[in-house]
Amino acid sequence: MIFNLANPLRFQRLTEKIEPITLNIAIILLLVGLFFCFFGSPPDYLQGETVRIMYIHVPCAWFSLMIYSIIAICSIFSIVFKHTLADLISRSCAPIGACFTLATLLSGSIWGKPTWGTWWVWDARLTSELVLLVIYLGLIIINNAYEDKSKADRYSSILAIIGIINLPIIKWSVDWWSTLHQPASISKFSSPSIDPSMLLPLFIMTFSFFFFFISILLVRVRGEIIQRKIEVIRFNRMV
Amino acid sequence: MNYFLNFINSGDHFSYVLSSYLIVFFIIFLIFILSNTKTKKLEKEFVNLIKNEEKK
């Protein structure tokens, strides 16, 4: 199945069918999520109403890491197997990941002001997230810097693989160093330290953002495939 | 409903929450709209190229 979809043309046909469905699911989940964010969840006993920023800040932070993981996996595939679709996905993911990282930093900064009393501190979690944004920007710049797309894909894959080192730093920075940022409240290995009334909107918003991400990714990959087709036609004309 | 009314009347906290939601949604919708516009433009360009090729 995976190798069947690995053909860019087959993938393009599939994206045309799936994209409207994912977008509709994302919008429905967003509306339901917003209802639970503002009508169904209580204020925090310590942070008050500002805890509602968590419902968008945390999903954005998760996706900033998840999208980078996708780029890293695609980069490994690209270097090892010289896979065109892996290059296209990696190239399409970088701007989306940069947007989620920027959204994480800005929403976190706004949350930090009433909670910590400052917009920004050079704390390990915040700094490593900022480094992630710089890496994303580096990938976007490399992807657009070369006319030879295969060269750009190779260099951006190398940067993406080197940048993997930043992911565990972001994840465990709150445990390794003494930081202002709170440690993880939702862990895979223990029960969450958040009340279910707050957990529900958080998960609905996470799924909504997930479908938004898929929808944007499919549109961008389709665009990349068409762009490559245009380049092939132009090249054939010149020859 | 009480949660929402308390939230609206929360003064400073209301503006912090509202501004963070507006910024995040603006960024996500911006990337969505830009991606869609770029792809549609490329689709048009591709169709035109194919038409020109057929004419030749």
Side-chain angles (χ1 to χ4, degrees):
Chain A
M1 166 118 179
I2 292 171
F3 285 99
N4 204 19
L5 287 176
N7 180 317
L9 285 177
R10 225 168 273 154
F11 188 82
Q12 187 192 351
R13 266 179 239 133
L14 187 78
T15 60
E16 283 165 4
K17 285 178 194 160
I18 293 177
E19 195 265 319
I21 300 168
T22 53
L23 182 63
N24 285 330
I25 295 172
I27 291 168
I28 291 166
L29 283 175
L30 180 70
L31 295 174
V32 176
L34 283 175
F35 176 80
F36 279 102
C37 285
F38 294 108
F39 292 89
S41 75
D44 184 61
Y45 78 104
L46 201 63
Q47 300 182 35
E49 298 289 347
T50 54
V51 76
R52 296 183 202 281
I53 298 175
M54 172 182 74
Y55 306 129
I56 49 166
H57 172 74
V58 172
C60 283
W62 283 342
F63 284 109
S64 69
L65 297 179
M66 191 195 83
I67 295 169
Y68 194 86
S69 307
I70 294 172
I71 294 176
I73 292 166
C74 287
S75 299
I76 293 167
F77 259 80
S78 166
I79 286 181
V80 176
F81 300 110
K82 304 244 176 266
H83 207 293
T84 317
L85 190 61
D87 286 330
L88 295 177
I89 292 174
S90 170
R91 193 177 263 269
S92 306
C93 274
I96 312 173
C99 284
F100 274 108
T101 313
L102 183 67
T104 307
L105 288 168
L106 292 176
S107 59
S109 180
I110 294 170
W111 196 6
K113 182 62 183 163
T115 315
W116 301 334
T118 179
W119 297 102
W120 181 266
V121 277
W122 292 100
D123 154 288
R125 171 60 71 84
L126 276 72
T127 310
S128 52
E129 190 71 20
L130 183 65
V131 170
L132 183 68
L133 179 64
V134 173
I135 295 172
Y136 272 127
L137 294 179
L139 290 174
I140 295 167
I141 290 167
I142 292 173
N143 282 335
N144 295 301
Y146 296 93
E147 271 197 29
D148 180 359
K149 290 241 158 101
S150 60
K151 206 175 182 182
D153 290 335
R154 198 165 61 246
Y155 290 151
S156 68
S157 296
I158 292 167
L159 175 63
I161 291 167
I162 294 168
I164 295 174
I165 201 164
N166 194 36
L167 295 189
I169 296 175
I170 295 173
K171 175 77 181 82
W172 287 294
S173 55
V174 284
D175 303 319
W176 293 343
W177 294 286
S178 171
T179 61
L180 206 52
H181 195 284
Q182 67 170 70
S185 309
I186 301 161
S187 166
K188 198 178 168 185
F189 303 107
S190 63
S191 59
S193 55
I194 296 181
D195 190 77
S197 61
M198 291 178 170
L199 212 54
L200 180 69
L202 180 63
F203 280 131
I204 296 173
M205 291 301 274
T206 304
F207 280 113
S208 167
F209 281 22
F210 172 74
F211 283 105
F212 265 116
F213 161 64
I214 295 292
S215 179
I216 300 168
L217 178 67
L218 293 177
V219 170
R220 292 191 76 90
V221 172
R222 198 167 73 229
E224 288 290 338
I225 294 170
I226 295 168
Q227 192 161 18
R228 302 239 169 164
K229 280 183 189 171
I230 291 170
E231 280 163 16
V232 169
I233 292 172
R234 283 193 180 139
F235 180 77
N236 288 341
R237 262 190 199 170
M238 278 160 60
V239 173
Chain B
M1 196 67 191
N2 276 345
Y3 290 146
F4 185 66
L5 290 174
N6 289 340
F7 165 63
I8 286 179
N9 296 320
S10 63
D12 264 5
H13 284 192
F14 173 75
S15 54
Y16 283 122
V17 175
L18 188 71
S19 55
S20 67
Y21 273 72
L22 287 176
I23 288 170
V24 168
F25 289 129
F26 173 74
I27 292 170
I28 292 173
F29 287 125
L30 187 72
I31 183 79
F32 178 75
I33 288 164
L34 287 178
S35 305
N36 257 310
T37 316
K38 190 187 165 191
T39 302
K40 277 182 184 154
K41 207 173 158 186
L42 285 166
E43 277 173 343
K44 264 187 189 173
E45 198 181 333
F46 180 68
V47 170
N48 288 338
L49 270 175
I50 293 288
K51 275 181 189 170
N52 289 342
E53 287 291 308
E54 282 170 357
K55 277 179 191 172
K56 282 178 186 176

